[in-house]
Amino acid sequence: MSGTDKIGWSRQQMADRLAREFQDGWIVNLGVGIPTLCSNTDIGGREITYHAENGVIGYGPVLPEGQEDLHLVNAGGQNVSLNPGAAVVHHADSFGIIRSGRIDVTVMGAYEVACNGDFANWKVAGAKGGGIGGAMDLAACARRVYIILEHNTRSGAPRLVERCALPVTARGVVTLVATNLGLFEPLGEGFRLRELAPGVTLEAARAATGAALLAS
Amino acid sequence: MSGTDKIGWSRQQMADRLAREFQDGWIVNLGVGIPTLCSNTDIGGREITYHAENGVIGYGPVLPEGQEDLHLVNAGGQNVSLNPGAAVVHHADSFGIIRSGRIDVTVMGAYEVACNGDFANWKVAGAKGGGIGGAMDLAACARRVYIILEHNTRSGAPRLVERCALPVTARGVVTLVATNLGLFEPLGEGFRLRELAPGVTLEAARAATGAALLAS
Amino acid sequence: MGQKSKVVASFAEAVADIPDGSVIAFGGFAAPGTPYNLIMALLAQGARDLTCIANTTGGAHQPRMPDLGMLVENGQVRKVVCSFTAPGRPTDVLPFTKYYEAGEVEAELVPQGTLAERLRAAGCGIPAFYTPTGVGTEIAEGRETRVINGREYLLEYAMPVDYAFLRAHRADAAGNLQFRLSQRNFNPLMAAAARHVVVEVEEEILPIGSLDPDHIHTPGIFVQRLVRIPPEPEGLWPVRRKERVR
Amino acid sequence: MGQKSKVVASFAEAVADIPDGSVIAFGGFAAPGTPYNLIMALLAQGARDLTCIANTTGGAHQPRMPDLGMLVENGQVRKVVCSFTAPGRPTDVLPFTKYYEAGEVEAELVPQGTLAERLRAAGCGIPAFYTPTGVGTEIAEGRETRVINGREYLLEYAMPVDYAFLRAHRADAAGNLQFRLSQRNFNPLMAAAARHVVVEVEEEILPIGSLDPDHIHTPGIFVQRLVRIPPEPEGLWPVRRKERVR
């Protein structure tokens, strides 16, 4: 295990950093795993509508054990609550909302992100089959695609790369990436460093990244 | 005015004759005008679900003045009632029901019907524009297309013809035709006479028809 | 979500900023769901060079209620997109016809199911689809078709719109809408197809969260502006159809 | 309409005549809306050579509930069509994977929105449509694309099914259905895409006409058979998800 996945931001801090980019009134779709943590972030009075692939528009926090409504889950299968003004639609209408460009941002996990905006999150190397879920629809159609991932694999290989080695989820769509080392923007030729996590040096980030890193 | 449009069946009788073809459980769409009269016909205990283009599934009789619900009309804009078990959907779902072949029969008026199953009912000669409404969807997709029309124009010209002169609504779809003179089936080479209205002779029907008439 | 109210005080305010050249879809099938009050406001507001989408141009019946034909008569319309550019019954007369025949307004005639599906496609991010409707007819002339599983289909494109003018029965302040009976018709499709949705609402607009999330016909995320319809005579309400114009 | 009741007495009766080789769609997204009881009945009924369509093959969580994976394990399935043929999290394990990797079952992997839209298209008589989803990815390889207004789209075909197995919250005897909250998901789409629709219903099945016509998610004209779910332990009900299979 490389050192870089233990330094810098925690998973919640990565999620916090991206959540602070959310603007008032946005419709947000959070992927399974770390992205879900974005809904824990305090972003002041900004109103966010959380949309889930299964047609829930306006869900709220995960409910504590014993208070769950077993008819209501988010895209990760967690039993969530509903916020006032919520509405439920069927799956085709839900993906209609996605495809018609009404999701202001989708936040997803990934195995790899390339500086040309490609990313890969549905198929691991050598696997037969994969897990696409709603990721390809969201990636192709959301107004912004934010990615959260550890900066390096467990064996220390970079996940921010020049070109994805794994089959991509969509091409040229990623707008912002949070890793444990900081906040990055794919710029085509490389990643622009927008922010370093505390205790992370530019040199360390550069060494851990598989593409050019352009300091802002 | 020719004599043939005053002999034989009345408008209600034409509608009655077609309505008696309706089978138990059918979903039926009735066009504006004479076809609407089909819903007046007593066809015993057979259950018919009337579908209207505006998404009303299971409407009932037109309501008398003063008892109308102004939020509820059929495709002809008449204020109808709802039968028990009725449901309302939006326009895209309503035409989804039509296009997916779930309408057992659509009954429409027409200007012309050809023995090859073509018919014309949306545009009159020389007009700029036309009135298509739901007719082309219904004609192309209903399981059966029944047509009600006067056997001849006011000037005595045949409306049952070899080939339509007017722009067609759909090609090769008509399965049954009721006129004031009787009941006819387009057979490709001509019309098969299934039934003559009382007082109408085969010779009179043949003379009034613009295509071969094959006695059954 | 949606803690901010979308209620505006008047129809005039709701349509004040509609620019010339807009593409506007109008809900309604016969009387139910037709945004009479918003049409009146648009007549007064005066935007021109409009493309207007609706099932019909209206005006075939008495008493005549606000309709696209009035916008045409008022010189505001460049083009209409409808499933009837002539009346459904040849014995009816449409006020629109005179302007159309004189070449003062363009028209695109679209089968009703195709009109609904093109709006639905725009609202669902589907740029084009195939339909069996219209194959072999004049409306398919010169158009692209494709044989799929042995049957011929016509290629149709999505119909995105700038504004949708709707009439709903009930709404909460977040813009969640319920339509009553056949009032629903094109309204939810136009809401999804539009970038801006303006709704006249029949009942008192409810606090956010008052509507059952399972029974919302148009989610509030599609809606920008709501206006409560005042009682007659200030507000316009459907009337019983009296007789046909001959 | 619909004065005849569609209620049948048992799950076994509801699935008795499903022939080998059928294409069956199963509603549900995670637990809500999954027809556990109908899946159990199909396991017992034994139809083989099935093509099974659902969002997932199931089995990633404990306690395990009836899922497509069980039909695969039981040797009844020729092919699955899903948006996950591997788990969403690589650390999960799907019972299905072993059979898939051994070549004992075929799979077609479809993005979730495309799966929903292909079912919707089948239910609405649209044979094919274009979507932006999947363009430039492995799933588009060798497939037909088209540029519309400067953007590339993938051609997708309707996905008609023979049977839909659904779970609804409330129904009347005519087959009008209401789903509760996220139970709705794929269920109404599969109902429309299918020639035969079989529904397990959570609440007592109501007399025809008991449901508000404005708030029906699947009209009764789509539905052939309804079975009331008995209380536990005879009937299967969703349980709280405990832990993930590792």
Side-chain angles (χ1 to χ4, degrees):
Chain A
M1 194 176 285
S2 113
T4 60
D5 64 349
K6 288 294 174 199
I7 65 169
W9 284 329
S10 68
R11 294 176 165 215
Q12 181 63 56
Q13 287 170 321
M14 291 188 249
D16 289 345
R17 185 60 195 84
L18 287 184
R20 285 200 297 272
E21 299 284 313
F22 298 172
Q23 298 302 306
D24 189 41
W26 275 15
I27 302 171
V28 173
N29 184 295
L30 300 179
V32 175
I34 312 181
T36 305
L37 301 175
C38 291
S39 60
N40 296 340
T41 309
D42 177 3
I43 52 170
R46 283 174 271 180
E47 278 174 20
I48 303 299
T49 300
Y50 289 105
H51 165 274
E53 288 93 312
N54 58 352
V56 183
I57 306 166
Y59 69 85
V62 173
L63 290 173
E65 198 171 315
Q67 292 177 35
E68 302 97 332
D69 184 330
L70 295 182
H71 283 116
L72 181 61
V73 298
N74 64 11
Q78 297 169 298
N79 290 109
V80 290
S81 55
L82 285 182
N83 287 333
V88 177
V89 298
H90 62 48
H91 237 84
D93 283 347
S94 177
F95 279 83
I97 290 168
I98 293 171
R99 276 192 312 265
S100 62
R102 287 181 163 95
I103 303 297
D104 289 289
V105 66
T106 179
V107 185
M108 287 193 232
Y111 305 131
E112 287 182 326
V113 185
C115 55
N116 63 358
D118 296 357
F119 77 106
N121 79 348
W122 69 277
K123 191 173 189 176
V124 294
K128 185 174 182 182
I132 299 177
M136 283 191 182
D137 299 276
L138 283 159
C141 303
R143 299 171 72 138
R144 299 167 188 84
V145 178
Y146 291 179
I147 300 291
I148 300 185
L149 76 181
E150 299 290 341
H151 205 93
N152 296 87
T153 67
R154 295 192 179 197
S155 62
R159 293 185 187 274
L160 276 60
V161 295
E162 288 205 342
R163 292 294 176 270
C164 288
L166 293 171
V168 301
T169 304
R171 296 201 178 274
V173 297
V174 177
T175 47
L176 196 58
V177 182
T179 76
N180 49 315
L181 301 193
L183 193 65
F184 305 88
E185 276 179 20
L187 273 193
E189 303 299 294
F191 290 92
R192 183 168 82 92
L193 173 65
R194 272 194 39 191
E195 197 172 319
L196 282 174
V200 178
T201 64
L202 176 59
E203 293 63 37
R206 202 160 255 159
T209 300
L213 196 59
L214 314 156
S216 51
Chain B
M1 195 176 287
S2 114
T4 59
D5 65 349
K6 291 292 174 198
I7 66 170
W9 284 329
S10 67
R11 292 174 168 217
Q12 181 63 56
Q13 286 171 322
M14 291 188 247
D16 288 345
R17 185 60 195 85
L18 286 184
R20 285 200 295 274
E21 299 285 312
F22 298 171
Q23 297 302 304
D24 189 40
W26 275 15
I27 302 171
V28 173
N29 184 296
L30 300 179
V32 175
I34 313 181
T36 306
L37 301 174
C38 290
S39 61
N40 296 340
T41 309
D42 178 2
I43 53 170
R46 282 174 273 180
E47 279 174 22
I48 302 298
T49 299
Y50 289 106
H51 166 274
E53 287 92 313
N54 57 352
V56 184
I57 307 165
Y59 70 85
V62 174
L63 289 173
E65 199 172 314
Q67 293 176 35
E68 302 98 331
D69 183 330
L70 295 183
H71 283 115
L72 182 61
V73 299
N74 64 11
Q78 298 170 299
N79 290 107
V80 290
S81 56
L82 285 182
N83 287 333
V88 177
V89 298
H90 63 47
H91 237 85
D93 282 348
S94 178
F95 279 84
I97 290 168
I98 292 170
R99 276 192 311 266
S100 63
R102 287 181 162 97
I103 303 297
D104 290 289
V105 67
T106 180
V107 185
M108 288 192 231
Y111 304 130
E112 289 182 326
V113 185
C115 55
N116 62 358
D118 296 355
F119 77 106
N121 77 349
W122 68 277
K123 191 173 189 174
V124 295
K128 184 173 182 184
I132 298 177
M136 283 193 182
D137 300 276
L138 284 158
C141 304
R143 300 170 71 140
R144 300 167 188 84
V145 178
Y146 291 179
I147 300 290
I148 300 185
L149 74 184
E150 299 290 341
H151 205 93
N152 296 87
T153 66
R154 293 188 180 203
S155 61
R159 293 185 187 274
L160 275 62
V161 294
E162 288 203 343
R163 291 295 175 269
C164 289
L166 292 171
V168 301
T169 305
R171 296 200 177 275
V173 297
V174 178
T175 46
L176 196 58
V177 183
T179 76
N180 51 315
L181 301 191
L183 193 65
F184 306 87
E185 275 179 20
L187 273 192
E189 304 298 294
F191 289 93
R192 183 168 83 92
L193 172 65
R194 273 193 40 190
E195 199 172 316
L196 282 174
V200 178
T201 64
L202 176 59
E203 292 64 34
R206 200 160 257 160
T209 300
L213 195 59
L214 314 156
S216 51
Chain C
M1 71 162 287
Q3 299 305 311
K4 295 188 185 67
S5 170
K6 295 172 178 173
V7 178
V8 297
S10 71
F11 298 111
E13 183 184 339
V15 305
D17 59 0
I18 308 281
D20 289 357
S22 296
V23 178
I24 310 180
F26 300 80
F29 181 95
T34 301
Y36 294 135
N37 298 280
L38 291 169
I39 296 171
M40 284 302 285
L42 187 61
L43 281 162
Q45 189 259 11
R48 300 173 65 87
D49 198 29
L50 303 174
T51 296
C52 295
I53 300 164
N55 188 49
T56 71
T57 61
H61 299 92
Q62 289 292 356
R64 188 172 177 196
M65 298 292 284
D67 59 31
L68 260 58
M70 291 186 186
L71 290 163
V72 171
E73 290 165 333
N74 203 32
Q76 296 180 251
V77 180
R78 185 179 71 76
K79 181 180 176 182
V80 301
V81 182
C82 293
S83 79
F84 292 94
T85 54
R89 307 181 213 227
T91 47
D92 288 348
V93 172
L94 298 185
F96 163 79
T97 301
K98 167 169 89 171
Y99 297 84
Y100 184 41
E101 292 186 341
E104 292 174 26
V105 59
E106 297 170 45
E108 180 178 349
L109 181 59
V110 181
Q112 198 172 113
T114 300
L115 182 63
E117 190 66 11
R118 288 178 64 189
L119 290 161
R120 190 267 172 193
C124 284
I126 298 296
F129 59 89
Y130 292 92
T131 179
T133 301
V135 168
T137 75
E138 190 178 292
I139 68 141
E141 280 173 16
R143 304 264 307 280
E144 181 175 338
T145 61
R146 183 185 186 106
V147 175
I148 299 171
N149 293 329
R151 185 170 182 188
E152 190 177 0
Y153 296 94
L154 191 57
L155 178 65
E156 295 282 359
Y157 292 93
M159 189 184 288
V161 304
D162 298 319
Y163 292 86
F165 283 8
L166 313 182
R167 184 179 176 112
H169 186 57
R170 198 176 282 130
D172 72 8
N176 289 300
L177 306 182
Q178 290 178 340
F179 303 95
R180 191 168 169 272
L181 299 173
S182 79
Q183 184 184 57
R184 199 180 320 180
N185 60 69
F186 288 94
N187 279 297
L189 308 168
M190 290 173 170
R195 293 189 296 121
H196 306 283
V197 176
V198 187
V199 189
E200 55 179 72
V201 183
E202 294 179 343
E203 292 197 346
E204 188 184 352
I205 296 169
L206 300 167
I208 292 169
S210 302
L211 297 177
D212 184 341
D214 280 334
H215 298 309
I216 288 168
H217 299 131
T218 290
I221 58 168
F222 292 109
V223 174
Q224 281 71 42
R225 294 177 191 172
L226 304 166
V227 188
R228 172 81 197 282
I229 307 169
E232 295 176 297
E234 200 192 340
L236 289 166
W237 295 79
V239 293
R240 197 169 303 123
R241 181 185 292 188
K242 294 291 198 304
E243 50 178 317
R244 201 163 299 125
V245 177
R246 293 285 175 185
Chain D
M1 70 162 288
Q3 299 304 312
K4 294 188 187 66
S5 171
K6 296 173 178 174
V7 179
V8 299
S10 72
F11 298 111
E13 183 183 339
V15 306
D17 58 0
I18 308 282
D20 290 356
S22 296
V23 178
I24 311 181
F26 300 80
F29 180 95
T34 301
Y36 294 136
N37 297 279
L38 291 168
I39 296 172
M40 285 301 285
L42 187 61
L43 281 162
Q45 188 258 13
R48 299 173 66 87
D49 198 28
L50 303 175
T51 296
C52 294
I53 300 164
N55 188 48
T56 72
T57 61
H61 298 93
Q62 288 293 358
R64 189 172 177 195
M65 297 291 285
D67 60 30
L68 261 58
M70 291 186 185
L71 290 162
V72 171
E73 290 165 332
N74 203 32
Q76 295 180 251
V77 180
R78 185 179 70 75
K79 180 180 175 182
V80 300
V81 182
C82 292
S83 79
F84 292 92
T85 56
R89 307 182 214 227
T91 48
D92 288 351
V93 172
L94 299 184
F96 163 79
T97 302
K98 170 170 89 172
Y99 296 84
Y100 183 41
E101 291 186 341
E104 291 173 27
V105 60
E106 297 170 46
E108 180 179 349
L109 181 59
V110 181
Q112 199 173 110
T114 300
L115 182 63
E117 190 66 12
R118 289 178 63 189
L119 290 161
R120 190 267 171 190
C124 285
I126 298 295
F129 59 90
Y130 293 92
T131 179
T133 301
V135 168
T137 75
E138 191 178 293
I139 69 142
E141 281 173 15
R143 305 263 307 280
E144 180 175 339
T145 60
R146 182 186 187 106
V147 175
I148 300 171
N149 293 330
R151 187 172 179 187
E152 190 176 0
Y153 296 94
L154 191 58
L155 178 66
E156 296 282 358
Y157 292 94
M159 189 185 286
V161 304
D162 297 321
Y163 292 86
F165 283 9
L166 313 182
R167 182 178 177 114
H169 187 59
R170 199 175 282 129
D172 72 8
N176 290 301
L177 306 182
Q178 290 177 340
F179 303 95
R180 191 168 168 272
L181 298 174
S182 80
Q183 183 183 59
R184 200 181 317 180
N185 60 71
F186 288 94
N187 279 297
L189 308 168
M190 291 172 170
R195 293 190 295 121
H196 307 283
V197 176
V198 188
V199 190
E200 53 179 75
V201 183
E202 294 179 342
E203 292 196 346
E204 187 183 351
I205 295 168
L206 300 168
I208 292 169
S210 302
L211 297 177
D212 184 341
D214 279 334
H215 298 308
I216 288 168
H217 299 132
T218 290
I221 58 167
F222 292 109
V223 174
Q224 280 72 43
R225 293 177 191 170
L226 303 166
V227 188
R228 171 83 195 282
I229 307 170
E232 295 177 297
E234 200 192 338
L236 289 166
W237 294 78
V239 293
R240 197 169 303 126
R241 181 185 291 187
K242 293 291 197 306
E243 49 178 318
R244 202 163 298 126
V245 176
R246 293 285 173 184

